[in-house]
Amino acid sequence: MLKFTVKRLVSAVALMVFVATGTFFMAHKAIPDPVANLFGKVSFTAEQYEAKKAQLGLDQPILTQFWNWFRHLLTGDFGTTWVGAPTPIIKDLAVRLPVTLSIVILGLAVMAVLGAILGVLAGIRPGSWGDRMISASSVVFFAVPGFLVSIALLWVLAVKLGWFPVSGYIKPERDLLGWLRSITLPAVSLALGGVVMIAVQLRNAIVTANSSDYVRTLRARGLPPRAVALHLLRSAAPAAITIIALMFVSLLSGAVILESMFNMPGIGSATKDASQTGNIPMILALTVVSVLFVVIVNFLLDLVLGWINPKARIK
Amino acid sequence: MADAPLLEVNDLSLDYGRGKSLFRALDHVSLEIHRGECLGLVGESGSGKSTLGKAILGLAQSVGGEIVFDGREIQRLPPPMRRRLAKDLQVIFQDPYGSLSPAMTIGRILAEPLRVGGMRYEQAKTAVGEMLERVSLPREWIDRYPSEFSGGQRQRIAIARALIRQPRLIVCDEPVSALDVTTQSTIIDLLIELQRETGVAYLFISHDLAVVRRICHRVAVLFKGQIVEQGGGEKMTTNPDHPYSKRLLMASPVADPTEQARRREAWLQVRTGQA
Amino acid sequence: MSETVALATAEVLPAVQPAEARPQNRSVAFRFLTQPGGWIPLLLVLAILVLAFGAPLWGLQDPMHIDPRVADQAPSADHWLGTDSTGRDLWSRLVWGGQDAFRGAAIVLVVALILGVPTGLIAGYHGGLADGLLGWVSDVLMSLPSIIILLIVAGLTHQNADVLMAAMGVFMAPGYFRLTRSSTIAVRAEPYIDAARVAGISHTRIVFVHIWRVIAAPIVIQTAMTIGVALGMQAGLQILGVGDSQAPSWGGMMSSAMGSLRTNAWLIVPPAAMLGLVIAAFAIMGARLGEITGNRSEKAKHLTRAEKAELAGAAAARAAEATQPNQDLMVAVKGLKVTYATAKARVEVVHGVDLAVRKGEVLGLVGESGSGKSQSIFALLGLLAGNGYAEAEAIWVDGQNVLTLPAAKRRALLGRTIGYVPQEPISNLDPMYTIGHQLVEPMRKVLGMGKAEARAYALELLARVGIEDPARVMGLHPHEVSGGMAQRVLIAGAVAGHPKVIVADEPTTALDVTVQAEVLELLRELQREQGMALVIVTHNFGVVADIADTVTVMKDGLVVESGAVGSIFAHAADPYTRELIEASSKTPSRAALDEGGVGAGAPAKGGV
């Protein structure tokens, strides 16, 4: 298990280094002259241009620029923003990340809990009406994007019934209940597709396990149903966990769309602004941070998988 | 040249894996098969018997030794030459369900080897029909899919595919072990009959000395990648010399209570002798 | 889903079906188009495509025309769907917006297919370094939050929609890559690919004929899903404000409608409904194709609790009337029928079977595949698959008619009165738990032992079944032991509760020949030692000769013959029994056959 953990950790770190390096050079390749880009339509003189260039460190060779950036990155320093007042990017992220992450995490929690409950119920009673409902609706729920669900929910629960705010984000430290109310709609609509997906996967895994040889043998030993159910759950869990890991990435993407629909100041609008203004350090910071979250979640889920399933440790 | 063996395997060694997990599947194996002969290759799982079949068929690479077919070393032939060898060297696999492509009709499956030889499907169809009748399946079934056939029928189709280009050697890799016992004997008899008609040679791979008895002229026993004993079919399936061959023979029960009681006694002797 | 079911039904259906019942001969396209789930969404998508790309022909109003005088109008004859806040015609924008949507999805598809499929084929067919490298790239792409990257691409390329959609295609490529790779690996492992190589067929032809035939269907299905996802992401990006806000697009319409949600909520309905409709249509087509090509089939029908209760009630009523059989009998089954429910029909696989085994004796239950021998003993154990059910006049176990017992009491017989030894050793051990846990758990939960006591007992049993170093084996997982060792573990588990009868389902078939003899010997020793009765299922009369006292022969769900071993071997009445005995007897050697000119005998025509 220790060897497995170390191996996973090494590959996660390697992926982060690769992504960071790749994004840095790709961003600089895409914006060959960041200084001119920053001035945009504003006219500027050659002195202003050179001064700006020196100020941003763009007069140095690209490899030096990379090393400076990377060195700071390792200490958690994303540099300062190029647009507006030169504030540390980390400050901006500290405001924006909680917005996106609270939607994602609440969505993930709703998805995992609801999906697990429905999946177990359907899997233990295959053929029941609940099971058939889940299977039938799964086709459409897989495909229809969260924001369409969100539009429908918004229409009914926010516009017509007024139970939830139509838009805006409330900080939890200011009003905990208000915060929860503000993120509920986007989180729930984000989660719904995943709920069905997890439920169906879990259900199928339970049904497969239930008809497997070893479960029959456990029953033949006289093991009581509750003890057999534990075996079923443990064998079905990896399928559900794998889906959760895959869903995290798409939840992050979905959250970016939803926070924009609900007018929330998350990383989505920051990404859009940064890429339109050519704010390279901001672009890099946003990419690195969001990939970091995905990598961390995948790493943790891998560990859980390895812990549950002894065979997974070998690969 | 008539007496020269059709196939000669000399000192063949083959490894699986590399580094720490290196595993010697074949360890200096030598055997020969003559024209029209059936050589049984018997061993348990991990003995290397299927690996040897694969090496002869060009599906596994050896690390040493030679495989001589019709006087020519065939292991390092360039791919086009190797493909031409397909006319003479064919295979029947164990799994009657996996060895036929589920997406093709049996007509197309049987015609494929002929089409490699440059024939069009329409031309090949006549030969395919004849071949189906040779293995006792109606010609009219040519447009059906493998999923419509039972295990025994599929194995007949696999035999037809192996025979259609009139090869000189067929590697039969456990061709009956996935079939019901009553079906096994009819397939074995079909193979014997076809051998008598065409003079094809078989390398008959099996885990069971009893099955091998009916079809094989000679038998070689493989144990952990080495041939421990080779000899005539009658002797090898009644009174082999090597302790492992004995154990293998005594281990498979025979359908006669008194004879089986005697055999079990003999087996218990061999077993305690081994332990 | 349930393999047992597929097998159970496959065994009883004739292998060659009449032409009408052969769906394979109907092309996939035909079957797709004749189902409502196929042609309705297809027609819908085609209609929307024609509508969108024929937009200039329909005499629609200019979708870009701004006219504040008619802003925010409700649907009318002039403006079928009304107008937006700048007075643009919604219907016209919706139709024109379709062009943007489908064009985008097409770009995504082309890029994803070109990048994903060939690489998947290469990685799957050749493996090795290329596979490792491509797999890593695919993993990296899948762990990137695509929308962030796409937003950056949009910003950096000044909202070039085509480049943006191509970039989206790159993110969709891993889906195709993984699918193609795993399908290719699965196909490549099939013996028919080896057979094709031996037949002299070139790699190119193998890839394009054999492998392509199998992976084409999943790729088409993946494409239906990919189109849906692409349309969704495209609209999502437009909601984020990517793209030209003047040009008509579904996402753009939603984006501007979001702004006036409180004042004119209707605006959001047409584009959202349209997008949802198209995505759902593609999803349904994909699912339908999946069902037709068998990639996502649902064969078994699971009996509901009500159905099971009804069947069980009827069986119990009949069973209550049965009279107590001879006291000597350990197990007696009378008139057993086993039925499996499939989506289409109920298939009876055992048609009224009687079995009996006396205390301390061994019954050999002989039959080939499809004879119903395994189904009979699962019915005896009360462990049929979810869609199977048994009825019988009576099933007596140790003097009790189990059909009249409540479920919990019947279950209580398992492990204590009846022990079970399965056929395939490795798959009958839970891969997630150690061998020790799987032995100790029933000892504690069924036999009520304490932890230390159970562990000591497990070690003792493992030593008894001939496992050296039991303490080490207790800590291993099933995938770390050989088949023979796993079977010994399963036998140890079966005898742990000192059952009065052991039911063994082909306990030696999956093992190597020399191991078979060992396991058979172990069963014999334990049976004698503990004075148990034993029901041993086999297809091999050699096993019967070795161990059984009585024998029952089954064929096609019926008992062909039964009696004492001596008399059956001496003079079996039924020709099928004789055939089975013959098959496991010593045959003439090849030399004898050739010498005596004995014809191998013409095989029965097609009769296999």
Side-chain angles (χ1 to χ4, degrees):
Chain A
M1 194 71 200
L2 184 70
K3 201 177 156 197
F4 171 76
T5 312
V6 171
K7 252 178 147 175
R8 291 283 145 167
L9 198 61
V10 169
S11 81
V13 171
L15 177 64
M16 280 315 300
V17 172
F18 176 80
V19 168
T21 316
T23 342
F24 181 89
F25 287 102
M26 264 153 77
H28 279 272
K29 180 111 183 80
I31 310 177
D33 188 354
V35 181
N37 202 60
L38 283 176
F39 280 108
K41 289 179 185 130
V42 184
S43 58
F44 52 88
T45 63
E47 288 83 50
Q48 282 172 317
Y49 180 88
E50 290 305 327
K52 189 88 185 164
K53 198 166 179 174
Q55 180 205 337
L56 301 178
L58 289 166
D59 48 351
Q60 288 162 340
I62 185 82
L63 282 176
T64 315
Q65 289 183 41
F66 172 68
W67 177 239
N68 283 334
W69 173 75
F70 193 76
R71 207 160 39 109
H72 285 110
L73 186 65
L74 291 179
T75 63
D77 176 9
F78 293 100
T80 47
T81 174
W82 285 0
V83 177
T87 50
I89 286 173
I90 193 88
K91 275 195 175 167
D92 198 22
L93 286 183
V95 179
R96 288 176 178 276
L97 268 176
V99 180
T100 310
L101 283 184
S102 37
I103 300 178
V104 171
I105 289 168
L106 183 65
L108 201 66
V110 170
M111 188 175 86
V113 171
L114 269 184
I117 292 173
L118 290 177
V120 169
L121 288 180
I124 286 175
R125 303 247 153 72
S128 63
W129 67 267
D131 175 36
R132 277 175 285 168
M133 282 268 290
I134 291 172
S135 299
S137 63
S138 65
V139 170
V140 174
F141 267 108
F142 279 170
V144 171
F147 63 82
L148 281 184
V149 179
S150 156
I151 286 171
L153 290 179
L154 201 62
W155 167 262
V156 178
L157 300 178
V159 177
K160 289 288 158 194
L161 297 172
W163 293 355
F164 295 98
V166 174
S167 65
Y169 174 79
I170 297 168
K171 288 185 179 173
E173 55 266 33
R174 196 189 307 156
D175 174 4
L176 198 61
L177 205 70
W179 167 73
L180 207 58
R181 263 170 38 119
S182 72
I183 62 170
T184 298
L185 268 193
V188 167
S189 40
L190 198 57
L192 278 184
V195 167
V196 181
M197 199 146 179
I198 290 175
V200 169
Q201 287 291 329
L202 199 56
R203 179 248 181 225
N204 287 347
I206 290 177
V207 169
T208 306
N210 208 353
S211 64
S212 70
D213 288 349
Y214 65 83
V215 169
R216 181 168 53 214
T217 299
L218 287 172
R219 291 209 169 94
R221 294 263 177 82
L223 217 56
R226 216 176 279 177
V228 174
L230 274 180
H231 283 264
L232 289 180
L233 279 185
R234 176 143 177 191
S235 78
I241 291 170
T242 309
I243 291 285
I244 293 178
L246 283 175
M247 290 301 287
F248 183 78
V249 187
S250 64
L251 280 188
L252 200 58
S253 289
V256 166
I257 297 175
L258 283 168
E259 71 185 24
S260 152
M261 283 177 61
F262 285 82
N263 258 325
M264 295 183 175
I267 61 171
S269 49
T271 312
K272 203 174 81 182
D273 295 343
S275 53
Q276 274 164 358
T277 51
N279 191 353
I280 290 182
M282 190 70 185
I283 293 177
L284 296 178
L286 287 162
T287 319
V288 167
V289 165
S290 48
V291 174
L292 182 67
F293 274 103
V294 177
V295 167
I296 289 173
V297 168
N298 281 343
F299 172 69
L300 292 179
L301 288 173
D302 263 351
L303 289 194
V304 175
L305 271 182
W307 175 68
I308 293 181
N309 184 0
K311 262 190 185 169
R313 279 175 233 157
I314 310 169
K315 283 185 197 162
Chain B
M1 275 305 279
D3 280 1
L6 179 64
L7 179 85
E8 247 182 297
V9 174
N10 291 324
D11 224 18
L12 194 74
S13 294
L14 195 149
D15 294 336
Y16 280 136
R18 60 174 68 144
K20 248 191 276 175
S21 60
L22 188 81
F23 171 71
R24 175 134 289 199
L26 292 175
D27 193 4
H28 300 281
V29 169
S30 298
L31 52 78
E32 51 189 50
I33 303 176
H34 293 267
R35 286 158 227 277
E37 184 191 38
C38 178
L39 174 70
L41 187 62
V42 180
E44 297 185 287
S45 56
S47 65
K49 59 185 192 302
S50 290
T51 306
L52 179 54
K54 283 193 167 152
I56 293 170
L57 294 166
L59 299 172
Q61 289 303 316
S62 71
V63 292
E66 47 177 16
I67 300 175
V68 179
F69 183 81
D70 202 18
R72 185 167 55 143
E73 158 65 44
I74 58 169
Q75 283 192 91
R76 325 242 180 265
L77 289 180
M81 303 255 291
R82 176 82 221 187
R83 283 203 288 272
R84 234 169 286 152
L85 200 63
K87 196 200 159 307
D88 288 326
L89 190 51
Q90 272 300 327
V91 68
I92 301 166
F93 285 114
Q94 167 179 7
D95 177 8
Y97 293 89
S99 62
L100 305 174
S101 169
M104 292 165 86
T105 64
I106 61 169
R108 298 241 166 226
I109 290 170
L110 293 183
E112 197 170 30
L114 294 174
R115 297 182 69 194
V116 173
M119 222 185 264
R120 291 169 57 89
Y121 181 58
E122 297 309 318
Q123 292 172 294
K125 253 182 151 172
T126 327
V128 169
E130 273 164 27
M131 204 57 234
L132 278 176
E133 292 192 337
R134 287 276 286 283
V135 297
S136 302
L137 292 173
R139 218 176 241 275
E140 299 76 53
W141 290 2
I142 194 164
D143 287 326
R144 298 194 174 179
Y145 286 86
S147 58
E148 298 170 57
F149 296 92
S150 69
Q153 287 167 334
R154 288 175 197 224
Q155 219 51 333
R156 284 171 192 270
I157 297 165
I159 292 171
R161 173 177 56 191
L163 274 168
I164 201 155
R165 289 184 76 186
Q166 293 156 344
R168 291 194 280 168
L169 175 67
I170 300 180
V171 174
C172 308
D173 190 355
E174 302 249 16
V176 298
S177 51
L179 304 177
D180 275 335
V181 281
T182 50
T183 313
Q184 289 187 3
S185 52
T186 58
I187 295 292
I188 295 274
D189 286 358
L190 175 66
L191 285 170
I192 294 176
E193 190 187 280
L194 291 168
Q195 183 166 50
R196 285 179 180 158
E197 283 174 21
T198 62
V200 63
Y202 295 140
L203 175 65
F204 192 95
I205 299 170
S206 174
H207 63 272
D208 194 347
L209 273 172
V211 171
V212 151
R213 179 176 165 86
R214 190 175 179 91
I215 186 169
C216 295
H217 299 102
R218 287 190 305 119
V219 175
V221 174
L222 204 56
F223 180 61
K224 292 187 176 164
Q226 291 179 322
I227 290 187
V228 295
E229 191 175 2
Q230 260 189 93
E234 174 68 42
K235 178 183 159 50
M236 290 295 290
T237 56
T238 43
N239 188 26
D241 294 329
H242 193 273
Y244 177 74
S245 317
K246 278 197 171 117
R247 213 145 59 96
L248 204 57
L249 178 65
M250 298 301 157
S252 59
V254 65
D256 177 338
T258 36
E259 167 70 24
Q260 174 57 23
R262 220 174 305 148
R263 190 177 269 208
R264 192 196 318 136
E265 283 310 311
W267 174 76
L268 284 169
Q269 300 268 318
V270 188
R271 178 171 79 146
T272 43
Q274 283 277 303
Chain C
M1 223 150 286
S2 160
E3 285 174 42
T4 344
V5 182
L7 277 179
T9 46
E11 279 173 10
V12 287
L13 296 174
V16 173
Q17 296 165 9
E20 308 81 68
R22 278 191 277 130
Q24 298 94 322
N25 283 3
R26 294 265 171 86
S27 70
V28 170
F30 179 85
R31 286 194 289 152
F32 180 76
L33 292 174
T34 47
Q35 287 183 20
W39 65 265
I40 293 177
L42 182 67
L43 218 60
L44 188 80
V45 167
L46 286 178
I48 296 173
L49 268 173
V50 170
L51 193 66
F53 286 94
L57 307 174
W58 317 131
L60 296 169
Q61 299 174 32
D62 180 357
M64 319 268 266
H65 180 68
I66 294 175
D67 186 354
R69 286 168 303 167
V70 294
D72 281 325
Q73 285 194 349
S76 66
D78 283 345
H79 302 282
W80 291 359
L81 294 176
T83 57
D84 68 8
S85 53
T86 55
R88 293 176 296 192
D89 181 59
L90 275 191
W91 170 242
S92 170
R93 283 182 78 73
L94 194 67
V95 171
W96 282 95
Q99 286 196 4
D100 164 78
F102 286 118
R103 181 189 156 83
I107 295 174
V108 172
L109 264 191
V110 169
V111 172
L113 279 166
I114 289 177
L115 289 182
V117 175
T119 48
L121 273 172
I122 292 169
Y125 194 74
H126 285 292
L129 190 65
D131 183 23
L133 216 65
L134 289 167
W136 193 73
V137 171
S138 153
D139 282 352
V140 170
L141 276 176
M142 286 189 60
S143 65
L144 294 179
S146 49
I147 206 112
I148 301 277
I149 311 286
L150 291 175
L151 277 174
I152 294 169
V153 170
L156 299 184
T157 61
H158 306 289
Q159 319 281 347
N160 183 326
D162 290 351
V163 174
L164 183 64
M165 295 317 277
M168 195 187 292
V170 174
F171 283 104
M172 301 282 188
Y176 283 107
F177 169 79
R178 286 162 67 112
L179 180 76
T180 312
R181 176 180 173 275
S182 63
S183 315
T184 307
I185 288 175
V187 180
R188 191 172 159 48
E190 292 285 347
Y192 69 81
I193 297 297
D194 274 348
R197 281 178 64 190
V198 174
I201 293 156
S202 64
H203 287 294
T204 334
R205 191 174 149 87
I206 287 177
V207 169
F208 283 101
V209 177
H210 291 265
I211 293 181
W212 181 249
R213 267 173 205 259
V214 177
I215 65 173
I219 287 178
V220 171
I221 293 159
Q222 173 84 2
T223 296
M225 298 305 280
T226 304
I227 293 174
V229 175
L231 288 172
M233 278 188 58
Q234 181 192 29
L237 284 166
Q238 287 162 346
I239 289 177
L240 283 173
V242 170
D244 180 359
S245 59
Q246 290 306 306
S249 72
W250 297 344
M253 288 171 78
M254 282 188 262
S255 176
S256 60
M258 284 303 293
S260 51
L261 200 60
R262 257 177 279 222
T263 49
N264 186 359
W266 160 254
L267 291 180
I268 193 103
V269 176
M274 184 60 130
L275 184 65
L277 196 68
V278 173
I279 291 176
F282 276 109
I284 290 169
M285 284 197 281
R288 188 64 13 155
L289 268 176
E291 276 167 29
I292 292 174
T293 54
N295 284 299
R296 230 179 290 148
S297 58
E298 25 114 38
K299 279 182 213 113
K301 179 190 184 303
H302 291 273
L303 295 173
T304 63
R305 266 197 300 179
E307 283 174 298
K308 273 187 190 160
E310 184 198 318
L311 293 162
R318 247 167 297 151
E321 295 162 15
T323 48
Q324 179 94 14
N326 188 335
Q327 288 293 333
D328 280 358
L329 289 180
M330 183 61 225
V331 170
V333 173
K334 220 171 148 31
L336 175 70
K337 292 179 179 173
V338 177
T339 306
Y340 276 89
T342 64
K344 281 178 191 139
R346 290 186 180 176
V347 186
E348 193 178 274
V349 295
V350 175
H351 318 289
V353 159
D354 297 348
L355 298 173
V357 56
R358 268 203 278 274
K359 291 179 178 162
E361 281 199 352
V362 180
L363 166 69
L365 182 56
V366 188
E368 295 184 292
S369 59
S371 64
K373 55 188 194 305
S374 297
Q375 300 311 319
S376 299
I377 62 141
F378 290 146
L380 163 65
L381 292 164
L383 293 176
L384 287 169
N387 62 330
Y389 61 94
E391 21 178 2
E393 284 167 46
I395 297 178
W396 299 95
V397 176
D398 197 23
Q400 296 187 80
N401 187 348
V402 300
L403 292 179
T404 59
L405 293 179
K409 281 214 162 155
R410 182 168 184 192
R411 209 162 42 230
L413 293 172
L414 297 175
R416 276 171 287 205
T417 307
I418 315 179
Y420 165 67
V421 177
Q423 171 173 359
E424 166 59 49
I426 300 288
S427 73
N428 274 285
L429 290 168
D430 189 335
M432 305 270 185
Y433 292 89
T434 61
I435 282 169
H437 182 269
Q438 302 189 50
L439 280 175
V440 167
E441 189 186 15
M443 288 174 185
R444 300 190 61 194
K445 292 197 170 134
V446 182
L447 308 177
M449 290 183 172
K451 200 172 177 179
E453 189 191 359
R455 191 178 154 75
Y457 184 43
L459 287 169
E460 181 196 325
L461 276 178
L462 285 179
R464 172 61 197 92
V465 296
I467 285 176
E468 291 162 22
D469 200 357
R472 188 183 69 90
V473 173
M474 293 269 280
L476 297 179
H477 284 95
H479 64 267
E480 295 168 302
V481 303
S482 70
M485 195 184 277
Q487 193 61 305
R488 286 172 199 272
V489 170
L490 284 159
I491 290 173
V495 300
H498 298 292
K500 294 177 180 167
V501 56
I502 291 269
V503 178
D505 182 16
E506 303 236 22
T508 59
T509 308
L511 305 171
D512 264 332
V513 186
T514 51
V515 184
Q516 284 182 17
E518 300 278 355
V519 165
L520 208 55
E521 180 61 24
L522 175 63
L523 278 174
R524 182 206 324 284
E525 285 170 17
L526 288 170
Q527 185 259 332
R528 299 242 165 106
E529 222 171 83
Q530 309 205 355
M532 300 180 295
L534 172 65
V535 178
I536 187 163
V537 176
T538 181
H539 62 269
N540 185 345
F541 255 101
V543 171
V544 174
D546 188 82
I547 196 170
D549 302 307
T550 57
V551 58
T552 294
V553 181
M554 284 184 70
K555 189 188 184 194
D556 300 334
L558 287 168
V559 171
V560 171
E561 186 167 10
S562 58
V565 161
S567 69
I568 295 270
F569 275 107
H571 31 76
D574 193 273
Y576 179 68
T577 310
R578 287 200 294 273
E579 203 185 328
L580 280 174
I581 294 175
E582 183 69 20
S584 305
S585 300
K586 203 164 184 182
T587 82
S589 69
R590 179 67 189 266
L593 283 177
D594 286 350
E595 217 167 278
V598 184
K605 201 160 177 107
V608 176

